[in-house]
Amino acid sequence: MTITTESPAVARGRTYSRWTALVVLCTGALMTILDGNIVTVAMPAVQRDLGFTGPGLAWVVNAYLIPFGGLLLLAGRLGDLVGRKRMFTTGLALFTAASVLCGVATGREVLVAARAVQGIGGAMTMAVVLGMVVALFPEPRERARAIAVFSAVGAAGGALGTFLGGALTEALSWHWIFLINLPIGVAAWAAAVRVLARDEGTGPGRGVDYPGAALVTGALMLTVYTITGAGGLGPVTTVALSLAALALFVAFAVRQARAARPLLRLRLFRSRLLTGANAVQVLMVATMYGFQFIGALYLQRVLGYGELATGTAFLPAPVLIGVLMLGLSARTIGRFGAYRVLLAGLVLIVAGMALLSRAPVDGGYLSDVLPPMLLLAVGFAAAMPALTGLAMSGAHEEDAGLASGLFNTTQVVGGSLGLAALSALAAARTDGLLGRGAEVAGATAEGYQLAFRVAAAIATVALVLAAVALRDRAGRGR
């Protein structure tokens, strides 16, 4: 009997190929993540150029978030069925083309429509990335390193978008926050076609539940629309839309329990890890997205920073997150376990938000903004890779794409919920103080302080939930 072994050269080649593929996947993910944040600082310039009203301007963001959040779950499942590489490359091409349309838009309707197409392409791209990363790195230690890299890209990308949005808008124009995607997208698509391994999937005829897909996509889109538009919809409309979204979710659950080939196997939620990690993520991401948005407003409206200065002020966060995730995350998780690292990270996030809640009207960047920002960056750098690893370890290989789509969906919903709730609280507090004759700067600062206090409370709930829901893995290095 002859036993053949893989030569060291072949083994090195396969390792190199996998890490090259990871770079390609992270590049595609980075583009979609950046686009969720990069428009924030550029919004005043967009409004001046295209003549958006205040409520209409919100659709530059909402038109992207609604299809992006609504289609992630469906795109993840379709990736399992038709092939994740095919879903990734198609989504990347669509996202890049839509970015060009956004960049050359000269009218409000064209920009909003192109942003919606961007959201569709972003969902197709992002939904399958995490499942592909897990499939590329089956060995636990390498998987931990790969997830740390992916998490670093995602975490740093959100904050980096604020900096790039300000820099490109001030140096060139707001059009370039979209046009910059063209060379990156083309290069990433060409590399993906060449580098990513082909996978056929299980076949579309073996698992497409079209009624279920319509129900869950409608429910998610309605949920994201209600969250992002809650401030301008009015209480009656908000409650009605929330009940409608809940009804669609219930109908979807009933459909999945009875369907012969369900879109979402409900047995996924029997995993305490998967369910608990997704619930913790909603709360944690709500806190962090709230910090990015409210923090930028505090710098601009209270401390008087410009667009580029605001983006530059946020730059230490993505740099620190990237360094820690790439250099220490996998080793720290390997030594102490994902559960303990997650809890430590959440403690730091709570502390950072508590410090921000004291940010005064006459505050300074070095004394009142940078220290809590660094705490939040270290906490997120610790928590996010640990949480991602816990969530994906609770899914079977055949459900990796669906689990990836679910994890990304809860991230979008959590971020949208955090932005809407914290912004509404800050605005209500500020308006109440102004109505009683308070000074504008002081009233604005107190509104943001309230938002930061609520964010600290949300992070505390995430910490308690993680400690209770995921504690059975503490002794097993998870």
Side-chain angles (χ1 to χ4, degrees), residues 42-142:
M43 294 282 269
V46 174
Q47 185 174 24
R48 289 192 303 269
D49 195 12
L50 299 185
F52 276 100
T53 62
L57 186 63
W59 281 101
V60 178
V61 176
N62 295 349
Y64 179 82
L65 287 178
I66 291 170
F68 183 78
L71 293 171
L72 277 168
L73 192 61
L74 175 60
R77 186 56 182 162
L78 288 176
D80 289 335
L81 300 176
V82 304
R84 295 170 197 158
K85 176 180 178 178
R86 184 178 301 169
M87 182 63 64
F88 178 83
T89 53
T90 303
L92 197 57
L94 184 62
F95 180 89
T96 303
S99 296
V100 175
L101 289 178
C102 289
V104 300
T106 56
R108 297 185 297 272
E109 294 80 7
V110 174
L111 179 59
V112 170
R115 286 286 282 168
V117 179
Q118 258 194 321
I120 297 171
M124 295 170 67
T125 302
M126 195 67 183
V128 295
V129 170
L130 196 52
M132 296 175 78
V133 171
V134 170
L136 277 171
F137 298 92
E139 196 274 321
R141 287 200 172 188
E142 280 201 328

Side-chain angles (χ1 to χ4, degrees), residues 315-371:
L315 199 54
V319 171
L320 183 57
I321 287 171
V323 169
L324 291 177
M325 282 189 176
L326 296 177
L328 296 176
S329 179
R331 283 181 288 178
T332 304
I333 291 173
R335 180 173 180 179
F336 297 104
Y339 173 81
R340 295 181 180 89
V341 173
L342 171 61
L343 295 187
L346 288 171
V347 168
L348 293 176
I349 290 174
V350 172
M353 295 308 306
L355 282 178
L356 273 175
S357 68
R358 304 168 57 196
V361 65
D362 57 348
Y365 175 72
L366 293 178
S367 59
D368 299 298
V369 178
L370 185 60

